[in-house]
Amino acid sequence: MERTDSHEIILKKEEATALSLELKKALIERPITTKDKQKIQFLINGLGDKNGLIRRSFAESLGLIGEHALPGLIQALRNSSNVTIRRAAAKTLKLVGDPSALPHLHEALMTDKDPVVQGSAAGAMAIFGKTSIKYLLKVLNNPISSEMQCGLASWALEFAGKGCTEILKEAAKSDNFKVRAASISALGSQSEYLEDNETNQILLNSLNDKSPEARAEATRLITKINQPELIRSLLIEKLNDSDSLVRKSAVLSLISLNHHDTLFILKEIALI
């Protein structure tokens, strides 16, 4: 075992392998509920091992330890100089499943320079459902958020928003076009067909949103409204939208309707 200048422990291969075998045996025989800080820190340091299977063994054990592992995992996520440990800490917080980690996962998504850490943090946030939505919307509302950060927050919102229709409806009325677009997308992912009249109206109104991102999302999802003739006529109108992304979305949605004259209409428009 070696210690770096930052006092982090680097496990030797044989030490990591032995500990991994011990942990697997312990997982089978009995749950790990120890409050031993030294052992917990040892497991957290093991998240930096180069062997992915060993890292997973450590992460599963920390997940079983639960809330007692939270302080050390949060410290590792925020301050470890080892990017592998920061990535694994975010993923392990998902296994622990304690929503008190959300502010720290949000911080990692917004401030960590490593895109994998950002993605791992967003993925962990998504499992907390309704509780995580306000943090994901903060990312979308933040003017300094990068396109990648907003994309990750939008992706996570689709998972976190399951069963949170009312919150998403309200967010779809936001003044921020990124929040509107992400909320519309999350609303549309709720089910194969949308039967809620208010949600349907939000989608229909969003076809004329001033933001092309919101219009594109609405155009992509509007086929979930079970009114095929109305939807078809609206999509044909969107083929003349000023934004190319919206026009592309309209073409793909029209094709998905599988109407007998869709190809004819698209060929006619292509000739104009």
Side-chain angles (χ1 to χ4, degrees), residues 33 37 58 66-67 70 72-73 107 117 157 161 164 166 186 193 216 270:
T33 58
K37 291 183 180 180
F58 294 149
E67 63 180 11
L70 269 178
L73 284 169
E107 180 185 7
V117 173
L157 188 63
C164 302
E166 295 306 315
Y193 290 106

Side-chain angles (χ1 to χ4, degrees), residues 126-271:
I127 71 157
F128 294 106
K130 181 179 178 180
T131 312
S132 68
I133 290 178
K134 68 176 181 179
Y135 293 99
L136 297 170
L137 294 180
K138 280 175 66 175
V139 177
L140 294 163
N141 264 313
N142 194 326
I144 67 170
S145 295
S146 67
E147 286 301 311
M148 179 174 178
Q149 288 166 331
C150 288
L152 288 169
S154 298
W155 167 78
L157 188 63
E158 292 198 14
F159 290 92
K162 299 291 184 185
C164 302
T165 304
E166 295 306 315
I167 297 175
L168 294 175
K169 286 178 185 176
E170 192 61 32
K173 302 172 187 176
S174 170
D175 291 335
N176 186 306
F177 75 89
K178 292 181 180 179
V179 173
R180 291 199 306 275
S183 300
I184 290 165
S185 179
L187 276 171
S189 68
Q190 296 285 308
S191 61
E192 184 177 357
Y193 290 106
L194 299 175
E195 298 177 352
D196 176 66
N197 289 334
E198 187 179 357
T199 301
N200 290 352
Q201 195 57 53
I202 289 173
L203 276 182
L204 291 170
N205 292 343
S206 297
L207 288 174
N208 297 312
D209 195 287
K210 60 185 178 181
S211 160
E213 287 88 349
R215 294 201 307 276
E217 284 299 328
T219 304
R220 179 176 69 85
L221 295 165
I222 200 172
T223 55
K224 293 192 172 190
I225 297 177
N226 195 19
Q227 300 180 51
E229 290 305 317
L230 169 64
I231 300 311
R232 178 172 168 274
S233 65
L234 291 172
L235 287 172
I236 290 173
E237 289 179 14
K238 300 315 291 181
L239 292 173
N240 295 311
D241 193 275
S242 60
D243 185 82
S244 61
L245 183 62
V246 178
R247 295 196 299 272
K248 178 180 178 181
S249 184
V251 169
L252 295 174
S253 291
L254 272 171
I255 292 172
S256 74
L257 290 176
N258 201 27
H259 196 277
H260 63 87
D261 66 351
T262 296
L263 289 179
F264 174 77
I265 292 171
L266 293 176
K267 287 178 181 178
E268 285 291 304
I269 291 176
L271 291 174

Side-chain angles (χ1 to χ4, degrees), residues 100-114:
S100 64
L102 276 168
H104 308 286
L105 290 166
H106 172 263
E107 180 185 7
L109 173 55
M110 289 301 300
T111 63
D112 200 290
K113 301 301 182 184
D114 180 68

